């Protein structure tokens, strides 16, 4: 861009007009928690899935979040220094993130202290609520905010996707999806093992590639934002696949083990189907009777009926 005699480069508002992450791209996997509407914050649940998501989210900030200095109004223009905070308040996390370039392994995350993760979460959340949290994304400094879903909304998005069909009529229900993709993978692995032209090294290499490609098939043809949802669990999902293929893990048990991490992908696919976009979480006054939700539902229902009437009249 040019302004007068100055040339400058700035990121656009959106990287496309499609997919849930076109305006705000997911930076981590979903984290479940309880909303405290007296203090306008989210208290994360202490679960293995949450710990993996949170730890890898903090790792990303540790690597790429710039240090923010206090501004003119210290009440709102708060500083942020994730490296210094982790060093002081979360020594087990600091030890784990040292020198890491990719995601944390399952063993690394399991060795972290939950109370330390909560301290970092509260620090990051409080700074983001003052719009003072940023991250270096592809050479551009971008703001980072939290987006909150009511659990009913999230569950219904997952359920919506579970009812989808592929172009060939196959179901997206998780057990059927995994069964179908596993059958394809196992057939490919058998071809590799049966090929006498491959030596053992090549067989192992090709088998690894097929197993890695299996992970890609679980993205449901969604955009790259799904990568950030699955990324913290790549190692875990690969381990689970090994337990199923190599150690005889029962199929039903494998499906249930995969369900928590796949839920995020299904929620994204549901958002995409409804043309919903990520938007930052905005604190508001207490709404103990869901009066805003009720009014919104009434508004959407009324508008939808009117539009349907116009469309029916125009095109039918």
């Amino acid at each position: 861009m040019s302004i007068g005699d100055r040339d400058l480069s700035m990121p656009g508002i959106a990287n496309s007009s499609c997919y849930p992450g076109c305006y705000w791209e997911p930076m981590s996997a979903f984290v479940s928690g309880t909303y405290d509407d007296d203090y306008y914050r989210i208290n994360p649940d202490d679960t293995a899935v949450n710990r993996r998501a949170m730890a890898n989210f903090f790792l990303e900030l540790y690597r790429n979040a710039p240090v923010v200095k206090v501004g003119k109004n210290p009440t709102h223009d708060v500083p942020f220094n994730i490296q210094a905070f982790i060093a002081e308040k979360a020594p087990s996390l600091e030890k784990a993130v040292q020198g890491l370039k990719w995601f944390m392994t399952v063993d690394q995350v399991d060795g972290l202290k939950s109370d330390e993760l909560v301290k970092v979460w509260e620090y990051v959340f409080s700074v983001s609520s003052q719009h003072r949290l940023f991250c270096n994304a592809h050479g551009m400094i971008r703001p980072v905010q939290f987006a909150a879903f009511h659990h009913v909304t999230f569950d219904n998005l997952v359920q919506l996707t579970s009812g989808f069909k592929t172009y060939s009529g196959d179901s997206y229900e998780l057990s059927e999806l995994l069964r179908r993709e596993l059958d394809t993978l196992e057939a490919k692995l058998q071809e590799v093992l049966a090929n006498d032209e491959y030596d053992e090294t090549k067989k192992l290499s090709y088998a690894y590639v097929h197993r890695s490609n299996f992970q890609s098939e679980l993205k449901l043809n969604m955009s790259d934002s799904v990568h950030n949802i699955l990324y913290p669990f790549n190692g875990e999902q690969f381990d689970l696949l090994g337990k199923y293929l190599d150690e005889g893990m029962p199929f039903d048990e494998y499906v249930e083990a995969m369900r928590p991490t796949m839920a995020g992908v299904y929620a994204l696919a549901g958002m995409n189907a409804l043309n919903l976009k990520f938007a930052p979480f905005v604190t508001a006054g207490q709404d103990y009777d869901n009066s805003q939700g009720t009014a919104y539902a009434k508004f959407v229902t009324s508008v939808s009926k009117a539009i349907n009437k116009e469309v029916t009249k125009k095109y039918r």
Side-chain angles (χ1 to χ4, degrees), residues 75-78 125-133 145:
T75 302
H76 297 290
D77 301 339
V78 297
F125 193 91
S126 65
V127 172
S128 76
S129 68
Q130 298 296 337
H131 307 285
R132 302 284 286 176
L133 183 63
Q145 291 281 287

Side-chain angles (χ1 to χ4, degrees), residues 41-61:
R41 66 187 182 195
I42 305 292
N43 299 318
D45 299 327
D46 185 17
T47 65
V49 172
N50 271 4
R51 286 193 292 274
R52 300 200 199 335
M54 291 164 64
N56 282 282
F57 172 45
F58 299 151
L59 172 62
E60 186 70 16
L61 290 176

Side-chain angles (χ1 to χ4, degrees), residues 16 25 29 36 40 42 84 129 147 161 163-164 169 188 198 211 213 227 238-239 244 248 252-253 258 275 282 286 306:
S16 75
E25 186 175 74
D36 186 336
Y40 312 130
I42 305 292
S129 68
T161 302
F164 289 164
K188 291 179 179 178
Y198 297 159
R211 292 188 185 208
N213 289 341
H227 176 76
F238 207 79
D239 289 345
Y244 173 78
D252 290 345
E253 185 178 332
M258 290 288 288
N275 198 29
V282 178
Q286 293 91 338

Side-chain angles (χ1 to χ4, degrees), residues 85-156:
F85 187 89
I86 288 177
E88 179 182 357
K89 302 293 186 180
S92 72
L93 179 59
E94 184 188 36
K95 182 179 179 180
V97 298
Q98 292 299 318
L100 282 183
K101 294 182 178 180
W102 308 109
F103 58 85
M104 291 189 193
T105 65
V106 174
D107 291 339
Q108 285 173 320
V109 175
D110 287 347
L112 301 177
K113 295 181 179 180
S114 296
D115 64 323
E116 291 185 3
L117 292 176
V118 171
K119 289 178 183 177
V120 180
W121 172 274
E122 291 177 346
Y123 175 58
V124 171
F125 193 91
S126 65
V127 172
S128 76
S129 68
Q130 298 296 337
H131 307 285
R132 302 284 286 176
L133 183 63
F134 303 89
C135 193
N136 179 9
H138 312 297
M140 295 288 186
I141 300 299
R142 292 294 189 105
V144 178
Q145 291 281 287
F146 284 79
F149 292 66
H150 194 283
H151 70 92
V152 173
T153 302
F154 185 87
D155 292 344
N156 273 268

Side-chain angles (χ1 to χ4, degrees), residues 211-224:
R211 292 188 185 208
S212 297
N213 289 341
F214 169 79
Q215 304 293 106
S216 298
E217 294 301 322
L218 300 184
K219 294 181 180 180
L220 308 186
N221 298 315
M222 288 292 294
S223 67
D224 289 341

